[in-house]
Amino acid sequence: MIWLEKIWKLGSVCIFHSLTGLYCPGCGGTRAVRTLLQGDLRMSVEYHPLVLYTVLAFIAEITIRLVSKKRKHPFNHGKRERILVLIGAAIVIINWIFKNYMLVVRGIDLLPPLN
């Protein structure tokens, strides 16, 4: 189990952040997954809200598809899928702008190191 602990603590350095000092649109994603797997929803959303959104959207999508199979006239999934993707893209863009704004203008680092 020691090897699992070592893998858990591994993290990759964001090249974009290393070169520019700014966050990339995906910065915090790995930390968000780690903290979500540990059950800390608040920190997961703070690190990157797309991770929790993806989990919730996936659960909702599976549920809707299961219900749709039982109906006589199934739902049209294409429109809903496009909406889910657009919401996800909006989350990424808003998160990226907000984190860089807080870092550059306010001097607040919203990606504290993992414990």
Side-chain angles (χ1 to χ4, degrees):
M1 284 303 206
I2 293 174
W3 63 270
L4 187 59
E5 234 176 79
K6 288 181 182 179
I7 290 174
W8 186 258
K9 291 181 181 179
L10 282 177
S12 59
V13 177
C14 176
I15 295 171
F16 183 85
H17 184 66
S18 296
L19 293 175
T20 66
L22 300 173
Y23 296 120
C24 75
C27 272
T30 303
R31 295 176 190 191
V33 170
R34 286 180 184 171
T35 54
L36 184 63
L37 291 173
Q38 293 171 342
D40 191 349
L41 298 177
R42 187 191 65 78
M43 277 309 292
S44 179
V45 170
E46 183 178 327
Y47 282 132
H48 207 299
L50 183 68
V51 172
L52 184 59
Y53 169 77
T54 302
V55 170
L56 296 175
F58 180 75
I59 291 169
E61 187 66 23
I62 294 298
T63 304
I64 289 169
R65 286 182 182 265
L66 289 173
V67 169
S68 178
K69 279 188 174 185
K70 293 181 180 184
R71 290 183 51 163
K72 203 174 200 180
H73 303 287
F75 297 118
N76 178 4
H77 301 293
K79 184 176 181 182
R80 186 181 60 260
E81 288 171 353
R82 285 190 292 277
I83 290 170
L84 290 174
V85 169
L86 289 174
I87 291 171
I91 289 171
V92 170
I93 291 168
I94 291 167
N95 181 58
W96 182 43
I97 291 170
F98 179 71
K99 281 187 178 158
N100 282 312
Y101 166 78
M102 292 301 286
L103 182 66
V104 173
V105 176
R106 300 282 181 131
I108 299 171
D109 186 359
L110 294 177
L111 291 178
L114 286 169
N115 295 328

